[in-house]
Amino acid sequence: MSDQSLFSIFFSAMVVNNFTLAMFLGLCPFMGVSARVETALRMGLANIFVLVLTAISAWVLNTFVLPSAPYLRIISFIIVIASLVQIVEMTIKKFSPTLFRALGIYLPLITTNCAILGLAIFQTNRGYDFLQGLTFAVGAGLGLTLALVLMASIRESVELSDVPEMAKGTGLVLIIAGTLSMAFMGFAGLL
């Protein structure tokens, strides 16, 4: 078990080792859903929810099931994540059909979002207890949401700017993503 404080786990997951901007995990929703701030924020909240449920499930599996069958670790994480995303998808479809349509294909892609699986594996490898795992999940989720909202806000402001036609589109998005990533690399020495 790690002796890290909860604050250092939280801050590290959110800023220093941001899953999207420092570890390059979760790039699919980062590139796809980051055109509007409102959609990016909602996708971030859905990711936080799935990350927290994944952290709880990973802790339960690691504590009660997987000590006797560690070879089933990755497959059990994949099954749990796929099930959790299905639950989230059905819930959003039921309570917010507008959000469900806005997220489109990117909501089911949470299932294949490597940030979700990465959380479960990192939590296991670092030996986090229940509270540390929850803190790690919330920090990672807020970091992913921060990256999504930053990217969306920059993309919205670029739409209002006079950008040369040649620079518009995917190329500009990749330049913005690289610049954000380099900015977050500046936090690397903090923890």
Side-chain angles (χ1 to χ4, degrees):
M1 184 162 95
S2 176
D3 59 350
Q4 285 183 300
S5 74
L6 294 179
F7 176 75
S8 68
I9 292 171
F10 176 81
F11 189 74
S12 175
M14 184 176 167
V15 178
V16 178
N17 295 313
N18 184 293
F19 274 23
T20 304
L21 297 174
M23 293 187 189
F24 307 112
L25 299 173
L27 291 178
C28 193
F30 179 68
M31 295 296 184
V33 184
S34 61
R36 297 276 171 252
V37 172
E38 184 178 333
T39 308
L41 185 60
R42 289 179 178 172
M43 181 62 155
L45 294 174
N47 271 306
I48 291 171
F49 184 69
V50 173
L51 284 166
V52 168
L53 291 179
T54 299
I56 293 168
S57 302
W59 179 80
V60 168
L61 287 170
N62 286 326
T63 304
F64 301 110
V65 177
L66 295 174
S68 58
Y71 51 87
L72 295 175
R73 187 171 318 274
I74 292 178
I75 192 70
S76 62
F77 289 160
I78 291 170
I79 291 169
V80 165
I81 291 166
S83 302
L84 292 174
V85 171
Q86 281 300 115
I87 292 168
V88 169
E89 187 175 0
M90 290 185 301
T91 304
I92 290 175
K93 188 175 184 179
K94 172 79 175 167
F95 293 109
S96 182
T98 307
L99 175 60
F100 181 77
R101 284 189 301 277
L103 292 176
I105 188 66
Y106 296 102
L107 189 59
L109 285 177
I110 294 176
T111 305
T112 59
N113 186 345
C114 50
I116 308 293
L117 181 60
L119 175 103
I121 293 172
F122 293 152
Q123 176 181 340
T124 301
N125 291 346
R126 294 174 184 172
Y128 287 159
D129 62 24
F130 182 75
L131 192 55
Q132 289 172 325
L134 279 179
T135 304
F136 182 58
V138 172
L142 287 174
L144 181 64
T145 304
L146 176 66
L148 286 167
V149 169
L150 282 173
M151 178 63 129
S153 62
I154 292 171
R155 287 177 72 177
E156 280 186 0
S157 66
V158 164
E159 283 182 10
L160 302 173
S161 302
D162 187 25
V163 178
E165 199 62 40
M166 185 172 81
K168 289 183 179 178
T170 307
L172 185 59
V173 171
L174 291 173
I175 290 170
I176 294 167
T179 305
L180 281 173
S181 180
M182 286 191 302
F184 269 71
M185 292 294 173
F187 296 115
L190 288 178
L191 294 176

